[in-house]
Amino acid sequence: MKKMSNTALNKIGDTIRAQRHDSDYKNAVEELNNWREAHGAILDSYYNKCVKLSKRINKIDIIVAQRLKRLPTIIGKLNRFENMRLSSMQDIAGVRIIASDMEQLSAIEKRISKWRHLIRVKDYISNPKNSGYRGKHFIFEENGMFTEIQLRTQFQHIWATSVETIDILRGTSLKEKDDNSYWHDFFCQVSSIFAITEGTPSISVYSKFGITDLCGLLQKNMDEHQINKKIASYALTEPIADNMKGKKAYYIVVTLNFKEREAAVISFKESEYHLAFKEYKAREQNNPQIEQTVLIALNQINKIRDAYPNYFMNLSNFLSIIDFVLAKNKKKE
């Protein structure tokens, strides 16, 4: 695909935002898909750099994954922010690095900060979002295309993917806004407890709370609303349809049917990017009301469920960590 001008990209975005659903709209969506697919080469380049970096620091513990942003998410973002321009959307291509802890995260951060073409850093660890989201985002730009590298600890990652799982099942967007629910309070409380555990700032509403008091608030919230029971009921009810090719797998298309509570995995070789994207695009259009699909690559295939637990509706580790932290910081009578 030839390089597109910012004017042409923004025209595509404006046509999609108008939501007329005529031939112009369909053509704009197809051009957006072509633009999205064209990010594959630069995404692979940053993914491979991140994999090499992770191996130098720790060959076992660090998970590196890449993904192309989902079409419904791109369109939703264009519609949600009226001033958003497609040419300036910085996270169509994304690499995620999951470190064990803050020490490992800092070691990775120091190296990434020195890479060429870095144009922006978003620090949601020192300044967590009001939703409780924490992590560091590094934005790179080359040849008119952006790549976002997300850096998280395991605590930050399991929190974020658990929020996404609950959002899928409730049809909400806790990551983006406060819906005044006990779920919002629950995730804000957990985020703040995790932050204190990692020695980083918690969200402002809980900044003056100690971990014991926070755990007390969290326990009360969980008991009143039977959160443990509700989360436990969200597990997959059907076996995962797994079409993996072992060590030959490079690109992976994961589809979660959250109505039937089953997931399907289809893998492709490194040389089959176009086929993988074609499958991804087709599955996205199947039934977006009950399915979500993602196209990813992963440095450790056996850790796919750790990298994307939200696509396997796996909240058991999240619950186990919460139970451990609550037991450890239980207020003495």
Side-chain angles (χ1 to χ4, degrees):
M1 180 183 180
K2 65 179 181 180
K3 184 178 177 180
M4 295 184 69
S5 68
N6 286 349
T7 301
L9 283 170
N10 293 335
K11 185 177 179 181
I12 291 170
D14 290 340
T15 301
I16 291 171
R17 186 184 280 113
Q19 298 187 62
R20 288 191 298 268
H21 297 280
D22 54 13
S23 59
D24 287 343
Y25 178 89
K26 291 179 181 178
N27 290 336
V29 170
E30 188 58 33
E31 288 183 270
L32 172 55
N33 267 321
N34 292 338
W35 172 244
R36 184 173 56 143
E37 182 179 6
H39 284 71
I42 195 157
L43 179 56
D44 259 355
S45 173
Y46 279 99
Y47 169 73
N48 289 328
K49 285 181 70 173
C50 290
V51 170
K52 288 178 183 177
L53 171 59
S54 72
K55 287 180 179 178
R56 287 199 295 271
I57 294 176
N58 188 303
K59 291 182 179 180
I60 299 172
D61 293 337
I62 301 172
I63 298 174
V64 182
Q66 63 159 274
R67 67 99 185 98
L68 280 174
K69 199 171 189 71
R70 297 173 57 249
L71 182 63
T73 307
I74 296 173
I75 294 175
K77 197 169 185 177
L78 286 170
N79 292 329
R80 204 164 60 247
F81 303 105
E82 61 180 26
N83 294 322
M84 170 63 68
R85 294 291 173 259
L86 185 56
S87 64
S88 60
M89 195 174 290
Q90 299 176 342
D91 58 351
I92 290 177
V95 180
R96 182 175 294 161
I97 304 176
I98 307 162
S100 295
D101 50 35
M102 282 302 300
E103 182 179 357
Q104 201 173 73
L105 184 147
S106 296
I108 297 169
E109 177 189 4
K110 286 179 183 177
R111 290 163 172 82
I112 291 179
S113 298
K114 296 176 182 177
W115 288 358
R116 294 176 59 203
H117 307 295
L118 177 64
I119 62 167
R120 189 180 179 190
V121 179
K122 301 177 184 177
D123 186 353
Y124 299 122
I125 296 178
S126 298
N127 300 287
K129 290 187 176 183
N130 290 334
S131 64
Y133 176 81
R134 298 183 301 131
K136 288 199 176 181
H137 298 185
F138 301 82
I139 312 297
F140 295 84
E141 183 182 7
E142 287 189 65
N143 302 320
M145 292 185 180
F146 298 99
T147 304
E148 180 184 77
I149 298 177
Q150 292 181 353
L151 183 54
R152 300 172 177 171
T153 64
Q154 289 181 356
F155 271 179
Q156 293 157 11
H157 177 67
I158 200 167
W159 180 93
T161 51
S162 297
V163 171
E164 290 169 8
T165 303
I166 298 300
D167 275 343
I168 288 171
L169 294 164
R170 293 179 68 235
T172 53
S173 186
L174 289 166
K175 268 179 63 177
E176 305 298 335
K177 59 184 178 181
D178 177 3
D179 67 355
N180 295 314
S181 69
Y182 60 83
W183 283 111
H184 170 80
D185 295 341
F186 167 74
F187 280 109
C188 286
Q189 289 158 359
V190 173
S191 172
S192 297
I193 290 167
F194 283 180
I196 293 172
T197 302
E198 293 186 312
T200 65
S202 57
I203 62 173
S204 57
V205 69
Y206 292 122
S207 61
K208 295 181 180 180
F209 283 76
I211 193 166
T212 303
D213 289 335
L214 266 173
C215 285
L217 286 174
L218 176 61
Q219 186 70 70
K220 182 181 178 183
N221 190 8
M222 293 177 70
D223 291 345
E224 284 184 2
H225 301 287
Q226 297 185 308
I227 290 176
N228 262 45
K229 186 177 179 180
K230 289 174 182 175
I231 288 179
S233 72
Y234 290 150
L236 289 177
T237 57
E238 296 292 333
I240 293 167
D242 202 342
N243 182 25
M244 301 287 283
K245 299 176 183 175
K247 294 181 180 179
K248 293 182 179 179
Y250 187 86
Y251 296 109
I252 307 162
V253 176
V254 184
T255 300
L256 168 64
N257 183 314
F258 42 89
K259 182 178 180 181
E260 301 297 330
R261 296 187 188 175
E262 59 185 13
V265 177
I266 302 175
S267 63
F268 298 85
K269 298 176 184 177
E270 188 172 358
S271 60
E272 295 177 328
Y273 172 68
H274 182 69
L275 289 175
F277 185 83
K278 186 177 179 181
E279 180 71 27
Y280 178 38
K281 186 170 70 169
R283 284 181 170 266
E284 276 185 321
Q285 298 169 1
N286 279 349
N287 196 337
Q289 282 73 41
I290 64 170
E291 285 189 355
Q292 281 198 13
T293 297
V294 66
L295 170 61
I296 63 175
L298 195 66
N299 68 324
Q300 299 184 61
I301 296 298
N302 63 319
K303 292 189 177 181
I304 184 172
R305 291 165 183 79
D306 295 324
Y308 289 90
N310 46 314
Y311 278 84
F312 297 94
M313 295 170 75
N314 180 8
L315 294 171
S316 58
N317 289 342
F318 183 57
L319 276 181
S320 296
I321 292 170
I322 291 172
D323 289 343
F324 174 79
V325 173
L326 287 175
K328 184 178 179 181
N329 295 283
K330 189 173 182 179
K331 198 168 187 177
K332 295 180 180 178
E333 299 298 335

